[in-house]
Amino acid sequence: MSARDMVARGIATQARAAANAANRHARLLRAADAAWGRNPVVLPPWLAPPAYSADTSYAPGQVVANNGSWYMCGIAGTSPASGSGPTTTASGQYVPDGASALYWTCLGGARAADPGDGAPLVSVATTNPALGANWVPASFPGAYSVRGAHPSPLRTSFWSLTGFEAKPGVPMCAGASVAFACDADKLVLFLPANSGQVRIIVDGRYLTPGSHVVAGQDEWLVIDWTESSGRRQRYYELETGKSASLFGCAQTSTAATVSAAGAGEPRMVVIGDSYNAGSSYGPWLAGGSIAQLLAKRLGWRDAWNLSVGGTGYCNASASTFSTFGQRVPQALALEPDVIMLMGSSNDVGYSPAAVQAAALATLQAIRAGTAAPIVVVGVPSINLPGAAPTEAAIAAAVAQAGDPLAFFVPICGAKAPWVLGGWNNGAGAPPGTINAGLYIAADDIHPPEIGFDYYASRIEQAIRATVLPALAGG
């Protein structure tokens, strides 16, 4: 090959790379624009949650309406035979229901449900309704689009969903979803025993505010539009939680069809710690991790959450899970359109120099494998003295990388920090301002349910303010 040919080939390669980047940026921008104010997180659900009831068994993830607010069960139990139920609205802490073992956390003021032109009747059966057609994944894998996980056989016919390996030989899923279109007037979702929590999105809105909790027996969730808006094509998505990710199948009459829906959205891969993977404080709402909430808010719906509690750029946790950098090959194999790194307070025991070096190596490893934008989110602003120096080290790594498509979003170094209380209360906020009671749980580390969406909304704001304009500018 002549020198002239080599130059021409190099120019052509650069031109293709520039075109690919422009296409990727355009897809990210279009999706974010379409999702602005029109996503499941902010739109009203089809159905309101049930009213709080005395002497009733509740499980984590179930939501009730009481005293003008919505409350989610955070610790399972049975409500007292008498009493007013949960009333606390000024705190996101888990609050006991009288003297019972049941605990609630406030999700904020109640919102009106919107049945649109006819909400369905929803019921649960413990025996198969046998509508006629079972669209089992083993026979019809092309009828479904899977986001955030790889399906593998469950009881031969169904699916277990796995997102990544937390370390070699240890599969994990920090939340996934299965999407499909269906033209039935009556749809049944088969939920295998121990599926954990699931939530259903229909035509871009949650069916109900709370999770449906599947315990130790098979269940069939019946969504019946017969008496409301009848038969038409609708788009469904079943979201899973942080504990189990199983999918049975859709069941319809023999006159209806199921077909794949939701493919083609931008793919976001998130590497983080328990703020995205979840902790004993939540999230208990299926689809409620920061990664999944942010994906819905930005329209980057094909979200892969490669997050593991206890890990960081340096720290591998007590279970020696993979660090952020060690998870990069799995992230690159997914061919992401955007990668987000978040945290971690798990690195506060390491020197700032060590954190900076590890973060820089992680960024360089990502960039060696993809031209996708990288969003680096700082350390949660919790009451931990080492959080700010650790975040500063990560910010220094981003600056040192000098990558025009690597963006840093400060949290505890923001003015004001996102969560205020104690050690960081004076950093750019009006005197006496404290919101930690809403957004940080009793362990003074992890968010309660309302805190996960708070963090997701703040990250969304930062991305819309800084990242999207940069992508639009080329």
Side-chain angles (χ1 to χ4, degrees):
M1 182 183 295
S2 67
R4 178 177 294 178
D5 289 339
M6 292 179 65
V7 170
R9 177 170 293 184
I11 293 173
T13 299
Q14 291 177 348
R16 284 195 298 272
N20 289 339
N23 289 337
R24 177 188 291 116
H25 296 175
R27 291 178 64 239
L28 291 167
L29 290 164
R30 284 196 301 269
D33 181 63
W36 177 247
R38 300 182 296 275
N39 62 76
V41 182
V42 300
L43 292 174
W46 285 90
L47 300 168
Y52 170 84
S53 179
D55 197 23
T56 301
S57 177
Y58 290 103
Q62 293 180 316
V63 174
V64 299
N66 198 52
N67 197 41
S69 293
W70 287 353
Y71 296 88
M72 188 204 71
C73 174
I75 300 177
T78 300
S79 56
S82 62
S84 61
T87 58
T88 301
T89 59
S91 170
Q93 303 296 313
Y94 288 12
V95 177
D97 191 344
S100 71
L102 176 63
Y103 278 68
W104 299 99
T105 180
C106 182
L107 298 180
R111 291 186 292 166
D114 182 2
D117 54 359
L121 294 175
V122 179
S123 59
V124 178
T126 54
T127 58
N128 190 345
L131 295 186
N134 290 300
W135 298 82
V136 294
S139 301
F140 307 100
Y144 304 103
S145 298
V146 181
R147 298 176 173 125
H150 305 285
S152 60
L154 172 71
R155 301 190 211 168
T156 305
S157 297
F158 313 119
W159 276 342
S160 176
L161 306 175
T162 302
F164 66 107
E165 288 191 335
K167 62 181 177 181
V170 180
M172 185 174 288
C173 188
S177 71
V178 179
F180 60 93
C182 180
D183 62 351
D185 55 4
K186 187 175 184 179
L187 171 73
V188 172
L189 292 173
F190 171 55
L191 306 175
N194 301 312
S195 293
Q197 300 174 45
V198 298
R199 271 204 297 179
I200 312 301
I201 298 171
V202 183
D203 287 346
R205 293 194 286 131
Y206 278 113
L207 190 60
T208 63
S211 294
H212 176 72
V213 182
V214 186
Q217 66 176 359
D218 291 345
E219 294 183 359
W220 288 261
L221 185 67
V222 182
I223 306 173
D224 190 350
W225 305 88
T226 306
E227 300 301 322
S228 56
S229 50
R231 179 174 180 170
R232 69 173 183 225
Q233 185 90 329
R234 297 180 177 88
Y235 296 89
Y236 297 84
E237 182 176 2
L238 180 147
E239 288 189 309
T240 69
K242 64 185 179 67
S243 56
S245 294
L246 308 178
F247 178 72
C249 70
Q251 183 182 119
T252 68
S253 73
T254 54
T257 60
V258 171
S259 57
E265 297 106 333
R267 173 169 290 180
M268 179 176 70
V269 176
V270 176
I271 299 176
D273 56 20
S274 57
Y275 262 59
N276 276 287
S279 74
S280 58
Y281 285 90
W284 296 116
L285 292 175
S289 70
I290 293 173
Q292 292 166 295
L293 292 167
L294 185 64
K296 290 186 279 281
R297 285 179 169 275
L298 287 169
W300 302 345
R301 294 300 310 280
D302 190 9
W304 289 70
N305 189 2
L306 278 57
S307 298
V308 184
T311 64
Y313 291 98
C314 295
N315 198 57
S317 83
S319 301
T320 63
F321 289 126
S322 300
T323 62
F324 287 9
Q326 290 168 334
R327 265 170 269 159
V328 166
Q330 293 187 76
L332 294 175
L334 295 170
E335 300 183 352
D337 292 302
V338 62
I339 293 180
M340 187 179 88
L341 305 162
M342 181 174 174
S344 167
S345 60
N346 298 311
D347 286 330
V348 297
Y350 297 82
S351 70
V355 173
Q356 181 175 341
L360 177 62
T362 301
L363 293 171
Q364 291 172 334
I366 292 172
R367 185 54 71 227
T370 180
I374 306 168
V375 180
V376 182
V377 181
V379 177
S381 48
I382 60 180
N383 191 10
L384 192 65
T390 300
E391 182 182 271
I394 297 167
V398 176
Q400 185 178 355
D403 188 331
L405 285 178
F407 306 89
F408 181 70
V409 177
I411 301 181
C412 61
K415 303 298 181 187
W418 294 1
V419 177
L420 297 163
W423 65 273
N424 59 12
N425 197 36
T433 304
I434 298 175
N435 64 2
L438 277 171
Y439 303 129
I440 300 297
D443 65 352
D444 208 21
I445 297 175
H446 296 101
E449 207 73 30
I450 196 172
F452 284 100
D453 191 47
Y454 173 71
Y455 272 99
S457 66
R458 293 298 300 263
I459 296 170
E460 178 201 11
Q461 291 173 25
I463 288 174
R464 289 189 181 276
T466 59
V467 178
L468 297 186
L471 299 183

